[in-house]
Amino acid sequence: MVTGDDVRRIASELPRAYEALVRDRAKFRVGRIVFLSLSPDETVLGFGYPKEEREALVAGEPDKFMMPIPSDMRYQWVRVRLSAIDYEELRELIVDSWRMCVPKKVWAEYLEKNPRLSK
């Protein structure tokens, strides 16, 4: 099981990412764009994810993933139960979400320093 501290550890390593506390929630941003949001009890992580793919993700693993709350349905967003994933899956979700927010140049530089992420 992963924790909010694991989320912080991974997110803090990403260029241009920073944490902000908004209404009792830890949110992680690039500029003004939120790419992660921890629930107040830090058991659920909301993260950026392509809208057109989220229904399949949730349907494929409903014990892990949940649709966004109704007010967030308009965004590219989905949620995951932290108790249902391991550290490597968490890292992949966070990096993929962050990648949606940064310029291609920033991603390319990060990829150069972390070649294991190349697919």
Side-chain angles (χ1 to χ4, degrees):
M1 181 172 117
V2 295
T3 66
D5 288 338
D6 294 320
V7 172
R8 286 179 180 87
R9 187 174 305 108
I10 296 166
S12 70
E13 297 171 355
L14 300 171
R16 300 189 183 187
Y18 66 95
E19 181 178 351
L21 189 62
V22 180
R23 295 188 199 108
D24 296 328
R25 288 181 180 267
K27 297 196 180 221
F28 299 83
R29 299 178 174 183
V30 170
R32 294 186 52 131
I33 300 170
V34 175
F35 70 100
L36 301 173
S37 177
L38 277 168
S39 63
D41 64 1
E42 297 191 355
T43 61
V44 175
L45 178 69
F47 60 97
Y49 195 82
K51 268 199 236 187
E52 60 277 359
E53 297 175 21
R54 67 183 175 197
E55 284 187 30
L57 178 71
V58 172
E61 297 186 86
D63 55 314
K64 239 184 234 192
F65 299 103
M66 301 173 284
M67 293 297 280
I69 60 174
S71 62
D72 288 341
M73 288 295 288
R74 65 184 174 196
Y75 301 113
Q76 297 192 87
W77 203 251
V78 74
R79 299 179 298 154
V80 64
R81 292 173 183 88
L82 291 180
S83 63
I85 62 173
D86 64 24
Y87 193 84
E88 286 308 310
E89 189 169 13
L90 177 66
R91 177 180 291 286
E92 183 178 335
L93 294 172
I94 290 173
V95 171
D96 287 347
S97 179
W98 167 81
R99 181 181 180 188
M100 293 173 60
C101 302
V102 294
K104 288 180 184 178
K105 179 182 176 185
V106 174
W107 168 247
E109 289 170 0
Y110 182 78
L111 199 54
E112 272 183 34
K113 293 176 183 175
N114 299 278
R116 66 182 171 78
L117 297 175
S118 296
K119 294 181 181 178

